[in-house]
Each structure stands twice: as C-alpha cells, then as structure tokens.
Amino acid sequence: MLALITGGSGSGKSEYAENLAVGLAGKEGLPLYYLATMKPFGEEGRKRVERHQKLRTGKKFLTIERYVNLKAQKLPDRGVVLLECLSNLTANEMFEADGAGSCTPKEVLLGIEAIRSRSRHLVVVTNDIFSDGVLYDETTRQYQRYLGELNQKLAKEADEVTEVVCGIPVCLKRWRDDEKVVEQL
C-alpha cells in the first residue's frame, strides 16, 4: 500500500503518519523503517529533528538518513517505510551539489518507486505549501511547481491520501481492504 499524508506546518501530519506506519507494521509483524530526508541546518533544524526523534521514541523505527538519490537506498528487510518528508527530499534534490537539479521530479519519483518496490507499505509525508498567498522568487516558485507535480502524481498513485488539519485527519482517498477498492471521498 502507498499512503500520502499532507498538511501544513504543525498540522499533526507526522504524528498521524507515524501511527499509521506503526499500526501497519504491528498488524502484519513487519519491520519498521523511518527514512529521514531532512538535513538539520542550524539550531532550528536540530530542534525539529530532536522533536521528531522524541515523537518516535518507543515506536521501534530503524532510522535511515537519506537526503538525495533515494533509488540507491537499500532496505535491510521488506517492511513498512515512513518517508519523512517529500518536501525536504525535493529541496535536497534541487539544491544539493549531488542532487538531481532540473531532473528533480523524475529522480524523486524513480526513488519512491524503488523504495515502494522494496517495501510492503510506504507512507509518504508531504507539506501543503501552496496556500499562503505570498509571491516568491523564481527559484522558490520552481520548488513549489516541482513539489506540486510530485504531490499530484503520488496522490493519483496512492491507495490512501489523508490531509491532516489541526490534528484531525481528513481522508481524501481510502483503500478498503475488505472490498479491494479505492474510494475517492
């Protein structure tokens, strides 16, 4: 199964995604991997990483840090993967010296497909960065275009799409295992 979890900053999407991944792993007795894509720059970045690490305490995740070239990541065993997050991965691929640059959407999708083929379930967290009404410089607008393209393609492919708003999950698309169908809500 592929699940896409979206929401604004501080919406509760990470906690929701972690609980989903833990539930899937527990239900099927699978190993649990946390694929971290955020490079902690500065004090604020370190604090965000620490906060996410505290959220994961006791949940039995094996954390793997991967900032670019997702398709090269080998997983120790087929299991449940939580990719946190698509927004950071996209920025890394665009701006890191060893990233994909103008080929970012293609490379990110190839990486996600590779991880998906090596896992039983993949839960991807992404950000809603499109509704603040601010006019950004061209580089930031290109980042928004890439992330928007990736979000749309993954949402179309996903079995489940959930937006988390104020800590409340709003299901947009759901896999119903009992009937083997996908519902668009």
Side-chain angles (χ1 to χ4, degrees):
M1 179 195 59
L2 173 61
L4 181 67
I5 313 302
T6 187
S9 178
S11 65
K13 65 188 172 294
S14 294
E15 183 178 6
Y16 176 82
E18 288 175 15
N19 290 336
L20 175 62
V22 168
L24 289 167
K27 181 179 177 183
E28 298 182 39
L30 298 170
L32 193 55
Y33 306 108
Y34 186 96
L35 198 49
T37 64
M38 182 182 163
K39 275 190 161 181
F41 293 108
E43 186 62 25
E44 182 181 341
R46 282 189 290 282
K47 285 182 180 180
R48 286 188 72 195
V49 168
E50 287 173 8
R51 182 171 107 26
H52 281 258
Q53 288 171 337
K54 285 179 185 174
L55 281 172
R56 291 195 309 272
T57 300
K59 294 182 180 177
K60 300 181 181 175
F61 279 99
L62 170 63
T63 300
I64 302 166
E65 294 181 17
R66 188 70 186 206
Y67 308 122
V68 294
N69 195 13
L70 197 58
K71 67 183 177 213
Q73 179 63 54
K74 304 297 183 214
L75 295 174
D77 194 7
R78 197 162 172 78
V80 178
V81 177
L82 172 56
L83 173 65
E84 174 86 31
C85 79
L86 184 63
S87 308
N88 288 324
L89 179 61
T90 301
N92 295 342
E93 289 289 3
M94 280 184 72
F95 302 116
E96 290 294 317
D98 55 347
S102 63
C103 296
T104 291
K106 176 184 174 191
E107 288 302 311
V108 168
L109 289 172
L110 287 171
I112 288 173
E113 185 52 42
I115 294 298
R116 190 175 177 194
S117 72
R118 298 177 198 136
S119 60
R120 174 80 173 106
H121 301 291
L122 174 58
V123 178
V124 178
V125 176
T126 190
N127 285 291
D128 178 357
I129 60 164
F130 310 100
S131 54
D132 62 7
V134 176
L135 294 177
Y136 292 100
D137 61 81
E138 180 54 34
T139 302
T140 304
R141 287 196 310 266
Q142 184 61 55
Y143 167 72
Q144 289 177 310
R145 284 190 290 272
Y146 284 168
L147 185 59
E149 177 184 337
L150 290 164
N151 285 346
Q152 288 181 43
K153 287 184 178 179
L154 287 179
K156 185 177 182 180
E157 296 274 324
D159 301 300
E160 292 187 11
V161 179
T162 303
E163 180 180 15
V164 181
V165 181
C166 301
I168 300 168
V170 179
C171 184
L172 305 174
K173 183 179 179 183
R174 172 178 55 202
W175 169 254
R176 293 192 47 206
D177 193 41
D178 58 326
E179 296 180 24
K180 306 285 189 237
V181 298
V182 175
E183 295 178 323
Q184 303 248 183
L185 305 174

